[in-house]
Amino acid sequence: MSSITSVNLNSIGSRILAQIPLVSSDYSFEEGITAGDVIRYDVSDESAKQYKTSLANNAENAEVVGVVESIDDDTMNVVIFGQINFPSDKFVDNTPAGTIDGASGGNDIFFLSPSVTGGVQNIAPFQPTEVVKPVLQKMDDGTNNAVVLNYIGYSIGGEVASTNDTDTSLGEVLTVVNTDSFVTPPNYINVSKGSQYLKTTEYPEAFNYFGTQFGYTEEIEINGNRLTQSLIGQQAIQKDGRSQTYSARITGVDVGANTITVNRNSGQSQADTGKTINVDGNDYSVTKRTITRFVIPRIVPTTQYRFDVDGSATEVETVTLLKVKNTIGVTIPRKITVTDLEVTNKLTTNTASADTLDDINSTVNSINTEVSNIKTTLGLS
């Protein structure tokens, strides 16, 4: 019966460090692991569990536990997340000739290598079945020179590669380190600085998710006297008998569409289409009301992050992001080879040397009919 080996997990300053004993009856180590290697824990064989170097050639090999910072006489020190003193000679620059250093992503993000076991490189893998997995971000503070990210990776497809971002939910909140090269990723918005209005037509999924709980903008179409811009700032009021049931300040007027725009707070109802609405002493009938925008509030994290370097606090700016879209993107290369292609609606072509063919299937059917008629006329059928 084997004894259980304890792996120590320590939160030290701004990182999580795993101290893995080198001798254990529960697992073994792949030969040749050194400081700077990205490693994974292989449990495919329950009787022979092993720490191995990771490789971005497929999803299984691209699993990552962390990055080896150092190896002592009896312990392997692995940074799971946060700051690391990474061997500078293992930052591999694979920038293609003729492009800027690090390509369009800059030269601070390093991805798991698809060709060097345990290695990282500044260019994302691009071949089919390879995995794009950011592992490190350069951030030199004098002692440590990088941050272990260990983000979720995605596998590059065959000739048609798709990216499905629905693996995380709408409303997910992320806090990330802000740098000069930081760019808000697709499907997220920056919610660090203040509340903001989003259009319901541009963010329908987020509107279905958040609704009007933080406030909204309402557009009201009315009939009656012709509207003028002078109504901006006036109150729009509805009553039930003597009781006031609706009151909102007009923020916009569209004279052509005969609509007024108002902002509503959380919990406030829309205008009632069954009642007249009074503006500046005039009564109008409400023919339609539409929510055009909804409010997303500023989000302030309750957890404070302290970046500590050997007892010395370092001030680092963070950015809070909110997921508001589930966009699925498809990338299609210039040339595709397929064995069997089925189009269920319509196939349109347009080339530089020929006019647009709107519907190939319909055109081919017409040609077949004409050929059949010609053969019948000539007595060839």
Side-chain angles (χ1 to χ4, degrees), residues 193-319:
K193 297 182 179 180
S195 60
Q196 52 195 297
Y197 285 85
L198 301 183
K199 293 182 179 179
T200 56
T201 53
E202 293 183 11
Y203 298 89
E205 294 170 311
F207 176 59
N208 289 336
Y209 184 85
F210 293 105
T212 61
Q213 62 177 311
F214 304 114
Y216 61 97
T217 296
E218 180 179 24
E219 187 178 83
I220 306 170
E221 183 181 302
I222 58 180
N223 278 332
N225 295 336
R226 185 173 179 81
L227 300 178
T228 65
Q229 295 294 330
S230 63
L231 295 180
I232 294 176
Q234 297 289 331
Q235 290 292 122
I237 298 172
Q238 288 186 313
K239 291 184 177 182
D240 187 359
R242 293 187 176 183
S243 299
Q244 184 172 290
T245 58
Y246 181 95
S247 178
R249 187 174 298 278
I250 298 173
T251 59
V253 174
D254 188 328
V255 177
N258 223 45
T259 61
I260 59 174
T261 300
V262 300
N263 291 331
R264 304 291 282 160
N265 295 327
S266 173
Q268 292 184 329
S269 62
Q270 289 184 256
D272 189 340
T273 55
K275 298 177 182 178
T276 60
I277 193 166
N278 185 278
V279 180
D280 196 25
N282 296 309
D283 286 330
Y284 301 86
S285 60
V286 178
T287 57
K288 184 179 179 182
R289 78 273 173 90
T290 305
I291 296 176
T292 58
R293 302 188 304 170
F294 61 104
V295 176
I296 293 296
R298 177 190 178 197
I299 297 178
V300 180
T302 57
T303 301
Q304 297 295 321
Y305 296 92
R306 176 185 172 88
F307 287 76
D308 188 287
V309 181
D310 296 331
S312 176
T314 301
E315 185 175 338
V316 177
E317 182 183 357
T318 59
V319 176

Side-chain angles (χ1 to χ4, degrees), residues 72-83:
D72 302 328
D73 292 339
D74 56 359
T75 304
M76 179 177 291
N77 300 303
V78 179
V79 178
I80 295 176
F81 177 83
Q83 292 178 307

